[in-house]
Amino acid sequence: MIVDFSLIIDSIPKMLTGLSLTLQLLFVSAFLGTILAIILLLMRISGRWYLQWPAVVYIYIFRGTPILVQIFIIYHGLPQFEFIRTSIFWPILREPYGCAILALSLNTGAYVSEILRGGILGVPRGLHEAGSALGLSVRQRFIYITTPIAVRLAIPAYSNDIVSLMKATALASTITLLDMMGIARTIVADTFAPYEVFISLAVIYMILTLIIQKSFGWFERYMSRYLKKEA
Amino acid sequence: MKKTAILTLATMAFALGGMFQTAAAETLRVGMECTYAPFNFKTAAGELDGYDVDVAKGVAKIVGADLKFVCQKWDGMIPALLANKFDLVIASMSITEKRLKKMDFSKPYRISVGRLVGKKNANMKLFDDTGKPIAANFAGLKVGLGRATTYASWFEAKLPKANVVFYDSSDAMYIDLVNGRTDMIMTNPMKAFLKFLSKKDGAGFEFVSPQIDEQKFFGTGVGIGLRKGNEALLKRLNAAVVQLSTDGSLEKYALKYFPFAIHNQKMVP
C-alpha cells in the first residue's frame, strides 16, 4: 500500500473544521450529563423508594443499551409520533445537534451517576461518625465531608467516562452531523482512501484523549494536595 | 380452381417464408439482467417486460432485425458482450468514460438527471423559467443529499451557500424529509418515484424542480452498448433511438411505469 501523504496533509485541516462541533458535543453533554448524574445520585441515595426506583430503572436502561441505539431511537424514532413533532421540544429534536446532545447527555448521565455513587460509597464510615460526633448535621456532613472525598475518589473513573464520551461524539456523524468523524466520512466517500483519512482522524482523537487525561491528572493532584503534604 | 388455390397458398407460403428469411437474416442478441424492474424484468407469466425491453423491441423493429434476449448477471455483462455471447447491451447501462474504452454506446435512450423532491404546495420558487436555480430562494431551506453523490457535487458547484446535510442511506434521507428535518432532497427522479412518491409516505410530496440534466455532473445517460468496430450497426442504432425519441415511443414506454418521460426530450439526430 502506498500512503498518500498529500491527502493526509489536505484532509487534516478539513477534519479540524469539525473540531469545534466535536468539542461542543463533548462539553455540553458532559455538563448536562453531570447535572443529570448528580440528580440521579441524590435520588438513589435519598433512601426513599419512589425516588430510588426510577433512578435505578433509568440507569439500567441507559447503561444496558448501546449508545448508537439510543441515538437512533431519539433521532429516527421520536419524530414518528405526531405529538412530538407538534410539541415545544420539536425545535430541539428537529435538529440532529439537539438529538445528539440529548442522547449523549442522557447516556453519560447514567454512567456518571454510578461513578459518583462509587465515590460516595468509598468514603470511610468512620468519617461520618467523626462528623456526627463533632455535631455536624446530615447535610453538613454530606457537603463538607462526603462530597470532597467522593469527588476525589471518583475522578479517575470520571475522566475515563469523559474520554468515552469524547469518542462517542463520533457517533453523531450517523445522524448527519459534520463533526470531525462526519467530515472524515465525507472525505473517504470522495477519495476512497479510508486508511489515510481515518488514521489521521484517529491521531487527532488520541491527542484529544491525551489532553483530557493530563487535565484530569492535574485536577486529581489538586484535589489531593493535602495528602501530598502528609506524604 | 382447387389447384389455383393450392398454388396461391403455396406461393403465399413461399413468399412468407422468403419474408421470414430476409427478416431472420439478422438476429440481434440482447443482453440484460431480466431482474431489474421496471427496466427489464420477467412478468408473472414469464414474459420479459420493461422500459429496456420496449426500447429493444422498438429499435429492432426500426433496424429490421429479429431479437433474442439473453439474461446475464450484471457483473458479467460487459465480458459477455466482448465474448460475443450477445450483440447488444440494453440493460440500463450508463455511458461512462471507463466503459467507452472497452465498448461503444448508442445515443442515450434514457438520461441521467437529478430532481428535487419537497413538500406539496410549499410554493418554493427555486428555479427560474430557464431552469436555473435561484440561490436566494434556497436561503433558510435544508436540503438532504446522498454523501459524495453527483447531486452533492451539483449543489456544491451551483449552490455553495445552500444548507445541505449528507446521508449514507436513501431511507434515512426520506425519513428525515417526511419528519420535516429537511425541506427537500435531490435524487434520481425515477428512484424517488418508485421508492417514495408512489408510496404512502410520499403522498404529501412532489417534485419541486425541473429535471436537471447537466452532463458534467450526471453523465450522458443510458445507451445501447455494443462491441467496438461496428460502425454501421452503431449508426443504425443511433438513427433508431432518435426515431423512437421523436415519434414519441420513448415517452410512451416511460409512461407505462412513470408519470414522466425519462429520455432526453431535446435529442437531435
Side-chain angles (χ1 to χ4, degrees):
Chain A
M1 201 193 107
I2 301 154
V3 178
D4 184 351
F5 284 103
S6 66
L7 177 65
I8 295 177
I9 289 160
D10 276 353
S11 57
I12 286 180
K14 278 189 206 160
M15 288 188 286
L16 285 177
T17 59
L19 179 64
S20 86
L21 181 57
T22 295
L23 293 179
Q24 270 179 51
L25 290 171
L26 172 63
F27 288 129
V28 177
S29 334
F31 178 71
L32 295 176
T34 305
I35 291 175
L36 175 66
I38 293 170
I39 295 169
L40 286 169
L41 170 76
L42 295 176
M43 285 166 77
R44 275 209 76 169
I45 60 172
S46 66
R48 300 191 179 96
W49 66 270
Y50 54 87
L51 290 176
Q52 257 177 347
W53 253 93
V56 169
V57 171
Y58 175 90
I59 290 166
Y60 180 69
I61 291 173
F62 277 87
R63 288 208 310 168
T65 52
I67 179 144
L68 187 60
V69 172
Q70 292 160 16
I71 289 178
F72 278 6
I73 288 176
I74 289 170
Y75 184 78
H76 294 299
L78 291 185
Q80 306 289 318
F81 301 103
E82 184 64 36
F83 70 89
I84 285 186
R85 276 185 284 159
T86 50
S87 74
I88 51 160
F89 300 111
W90 184 236
I92 295 169
L93 290 173
R94 182 183 192 243
E95 297 304 320
Y97 181 75
C99 292
I101 293 279
L102 183 64
L104 293 170
S105 306
L106 293 179
N107 182 275
T108 197
Y111 281 95
V112 172
S113 89
E114 284 297 275
I115 289 168
L116 296 179
R117 196 169 70 97
I120 283 182
L121 294 179
V123 177
R125 244 194 106 68
L127 288 176
H128 286 278
E129 287 162 3
S132 71
L134 284 171
L136 295 174
S137 70
V138 174
R139 184 173 297 173
Q140 281 171 328
R141 270 181 275 151
F142 185 76
I143 294 173
Y144 297 112
I145 297 176
T146 311
T147 304
I149 297 170
V151 166
R152 179 160 53 78
L153 291 175
I155 289 170
Y158 183 72
S159 76
N160 234 341
D161 189 76
I162 295 296
V163 170
S164 296
L165 179 64
M166 189 270 291
K167 290 181 289 183
T169 60
L171 293 171
S173 68
T174 59
I175 53 171
T176 75
L177 282 178
L178 288 176
D179 67 327
M180 291 198 294
M181 183 66 181
I183 293 170
R185 286 170 66 175
T186 305
I187 299 172
V188 169
D190 273 328
T191 57
F192 306 108
Y195 284 106
E196 286 89 342
V197 178
F198 284 142
I199 289 174
S200 320
L201 179 65
V203 171
I204 299 175
Y205 277 114
M206 285 196 294
I207 294 170
L208 286 184
T209 303
L210 188 72
I211 294 170
I212 294 172
Q213 275 178 348
K214 290 282 170 204
S215 316
F216 274 102
W218 172 82
F219 184 55
E220 197 182 346
R221 279 195 301 280
Y222 174 77
M223 291 297 284
S224 321
R225 57 196 183 282
Y226 62 92
L227 289 181
K228 266 192 167 171
K229 278 178 199 158
E230 283 171 13
Chain B
M1 191 57 198
K2 217 176 191 174
K3 243 183 196 168
T4 350
I6 290 165
L7 206 75
T8 326
L9 265 175
T11 328
M12 273 174 69
F14 188 72
L16 266 174
M19 269 171 67
F20 221 81
Q21 251 176 7
T22 40
E26 187 183 27
T27 299
L28 288 172
R29 294 163 302 162
V30 175
M32 55 176 60
E33 281 180 286
C34 309
T35 55
Y36 190 52
F39 300 107
N40 56 77
F41 60 99
K42 282 199 169 127
T43 61
E47 297 281 321
L48 273 174
D49 204 355
Y51 184 78
D52 292 339
V53 176
D54 286 338
V55 169
K57 286 177 180 165
V59 166
K61 208 171 157 194
I62 293 167
V63 303
D66 269 353
L67 270 184
K68 188 169 174 275
F69 290 108
V70 179
C71 294
Q72 166 68 45
K73 276 199 169 172
W74 183 255
D75 51 9
M77 194 67 78
I78 295 172
L81 172 77
L82 299 180
N84 203 8
K85 296 263 164 59
F86 40 77
D87 307 298
L88 305 177
V89 175
I90 307 183
S92 294
M93 187 177 277
S94 297
I95 305 168
T96 62
E97 289 292 318
K98 214 168 141 192
R99 289 181 182 141
L100 278 170
K101 284 185 185 139
K102 286 188 177 167
M103 59 197 281
D104 281 342
F105 278 100
S106 74
K107 282 176 187 285
Y109 65 86
R110 206 178 97 196
I111 42 169
S112 299
V113 295
R115 212 166 169 190
L116 290 163
V117 176
K119 258 214 162 71
K120 263 185 192 161
N121 308 317
N123 288 323
M124 305 182 274
K125 185 155 172 47
L126 304 172
F127 289 79
D128 63 19
D129 296 331
T130 59
K132 288 231 163 60
I134 307 169
N137 292 0
F138 278 85
L141 297 174
K142 216 168 184 182
V143 189
L145 301 167
R147 204 191 290 275
T149 56
T150 49
Y151 314 111
S153 321
W154 185 85
F155 256 90
E156 205 186 331
K158 300 283 169 171
L159 295 158
K161 289 198 176 129
N163 185 2
V164 298
V165 279
F166 299 120
Y167 293 89
D168 293 303
S169 88
S170 59
D171 292 330
M173 190 166 80
Y174 288 124
I175 291 172
D176 272 5
L177 178 65
V178 171
N179 286 339
R181 284 214 175 93
T182 57
D183 299 290
M184 68 189 109
I185 58 162
M186 187 182 197
T187 186
N188 172 322
M190 288 173 288
K191 279 190 189 144
F193 175 75
L194 293 174
K195 276 192 150 178
F196 183 64
L197 292 173
S198 60
K199 300 276 166 69
K200 204 180 99 217
D201 278 348
F205 296 87
E206 63 181 359
F207 289 115
V208 294
S209 79
Q211 293 200 344
I212 300 158
D213 62 346
E214 280 171 73
Q215 284 193 11
K216 202 179 117 203
F217 295 98
F218 306 118
T220 327
V222 161
I224 302 174
L226 65 159
R227 281 182 296 279
K228 279 187 180 288
N230 283 323
E231 298 305 323
L233 179 60
L234 180 60
K235 262 192 189 141
R236 286 158 70 209
L237 293 173
N238 278 337
V241 170
V242 171
Q243 191 182 327
L244 286 177
S245 169
T246 47
D247 73 5
S249 300
L250 288 181
E251 185 164 0
K252 200 179 78 194
Y253 301 155
L255 293 181
K256 279 163 78 176
Y257 307 101
F258 302 101
F260 45 87
I262 56 176
H263 67 283
N264 180 2
Q265 282 137 300
K266 295 166 266 178
M267 188 154 21
V268 281

